[in-house]
Amino acid sequence: MNAPSALLDEAAGAGRDLNARSLRADARREQLRLLALLSPSLFLVFAIIIVPIGWLFWLSLFDEAGAFSASNYARFFEQASYIKTFITTFKVAFIVTGACVLLGYPLAYMLSQLPRRAASICLIFVILPFWTSVLVRTYAWLVILQRKGLINSWLIDLGVISQPLPLANNLSGVVIGMTHILLPFLVLPLYASMKTIDTDCLRAGMNLGAGPVATFRQIFFPLSLPGLASGVVIVFVLCLGFFVTPALMGGGKVIMWAMRMEQTTSLYSNWGAGAALGVVLLLVTLALLGLFQWLLGARAIGVWSSR
């Protein structure tokens, strides 16, 4: 009895090993198929993202004479105009992002509470600005906000003000124009996130005694944070590279990082310095995004631990 049992156990073990090897081989073949399917996309990402960024890093290490040098990075600490432009860029980005959150969250919440047909109609008006060029919309805001524009003319005619308000060719004009252009980029992902929130969770909270404010604060708002975070990241990153609207609405008084890069490369033909500007902006942006992701993760851990 012992010998046949041992033979049966040995045969079963050999069968399990054979099955395991067969499963591992199938898994490797499946991974190779997936890699083959992804290879065109990976090559495209490498060609249009990795290679240009690497070339940007390499170009920033050479001065105007073509010599290998770190002078392009040293000028950030030597010239106050670079630091001022850098601070202005992030100041505008934070203000515009905050304005988009204040305007976009109530709008997305309203859209999420409407019936599907009414929400679809309202979303058309959110998407409608995409059908018009950014340049055209910026010039439209210039017409509206300038000293003799529509807003100042109406306010003077109504007797509200006696002198035109400085709404254009300054920081206020830049913020207004960029907020209008970037607001849909926050509303759309936030609305999509809000629509996925299960209404049964809200009803359960209210059945347990939570009022409307407590239900929104403790259930709805935390569940909408992924969409809000996506919208904030999109708007913030787009703000850092904005060029047309600050150039026109700022009137030369608001110089952002993208405008400084354009001046450095086209006016002074210093491609190394322009590349260094891009590298610094990229590294600082990645650091801020990493900090933002860490803060979101820490907050999520805190919320769940408090529960």
Side-chain angles (χ1 to χ4, degrees):
M1 292 295 295
N2 292 333
S5 299
L7 291 175
L8 289 175
D9 292 339
E10 184 179 354
R16 284 194 297 268
D17 293 340
L18 182 61
N19 289 334
R21 287 195 298 270
S22 177
L23 290 174
R24 286 195 296 269
D26 290 340
R28 284 194 296 269
R29 284 194 293 268
E30 185 67 21
Q31 291 174 355
L32 291 175
R33 294 193 195 98
L34 292 175
L35 181 61
L37 290 174
L38 288 174
S39 57
S41 301
L42 295 176
F43 176 77
L44 186 64
V45 169
F46 179 79
I48 67 176
I49 297 180
I50 305 301
V51 172
I53 290 177
W55 176 78
L56 196 70
F57 273 89
W58 177 255
L59 194 62
S60 67
L61 298 175
F62 295 90
D63 58 15
E64 296 182 74
F68 190 81
S69 172
S71 59
N72 293 323
Y73 294 98
R75 70 181 63 205
F76 294 124
F77 306 98
E78 298 171 354
Q79 300 183 17
S81 60
Y82 281 89
I83 299 177
K84 182 180 179 181
T85 305
F86 185 80
I87 294 174
T88 301
T89 300
F90 282 90
K91 177 182 176 181
V92 171
F94 280 115
I95 294 175
V96 172
T97 303
C100 287
V101 171
L102 293 177
L103 296 174
Y105 196 95
L107 177 59
Y109 179 76
M110 182 200 72
L111 292 175
S112 67
Q113 302 304 308
L114 290 176
R116 184 178 297 274
R117 185 178 181 86
S120 300
I121 295 174
C122 293
L123 276 175
I124 294 176
F125 294 98
V126 176
I127 302 173
L128 192 63
F130 288 127
W131 300 351
T132 309
S133 170
V134 173
L135 184 62
V136 173
R137 282 183 276 168
T138 302
Y139 273 115
W141 275 112
L142 277 176
V143 173
I144 295 172
L145 299 177
Q146 61 186 344
R147 292 182 61 85
K148 296 183 179 180
L150 296 178
I151 292 180
N152 280 318
S153 299
W154 288 345
L155 292 177
I156 291 175
D157 293 341
L158 293 173
V160 178
I161 58 175
S162 59
Q163 297 293 329
L165 296 175
L167 299 176
N169 299 324
N170 51 25
L171 181 63
S172 300
V174 173
V175 170
I176 292 172
M178 291 178 61
T179 301
H180 168 256
I181 293 171
L182 295 174
L183 185 59
F185 290 98
L186 185 132
V187 172
L188 293 177
L190 184 56
Y191 169 76
S193 177
M194 288 180 174
K195 289 298 290 184
T196 60
I197 296 176
D198 191 356
T199 56
D200 291 339
C201 296
L202 307 179
R203 295 193 188 98
M206 300 185 73
N207 289 335
L208 292 173
V213 177
T215 302
F216 175 83
R217 181 172 56 86
Q218 298 181 9
I219 300 176
F220 189 89
F221 181 72
L223 292 177
S224 66
L225 280 180
L228 180 61
S230 300
V232 165
V233 169
I234 294 172
V235 172
F236 184 77
V237 172
L238 289 177
C239 284
L240 296 177
F242 237 64
F243 178 82
V244 174
T245 303
L248 295 177
M249 298 293 293
K253 300 176 183 178
V254 181
I255 306 298
M256 295 185 65
W257 209 245
M259 300 166 62
R260 172 69 70 176
M261 283 190 281
E262 187 272 337
Q263 292 174 358
T264 304
T265 54
S266 64
L267 187 60
Y268 302 108
S269 299
N270 192 342
W271 287 90
L277 290 172
V279 169
V280 171
L281 181 61
L282 176 63
L283 294 178
V284 174
T285 303
L286 291 177
L288 288 176
L289 292 179
L291 177 62
F292 181 69
Q293 185 177 8
W294 179 81
L295 290 175
L296 283 179
R299 187 189 183 282
I301 293 173
V303 169
W304 286 108
S305 61
S306 65
R307 293 179 182 179

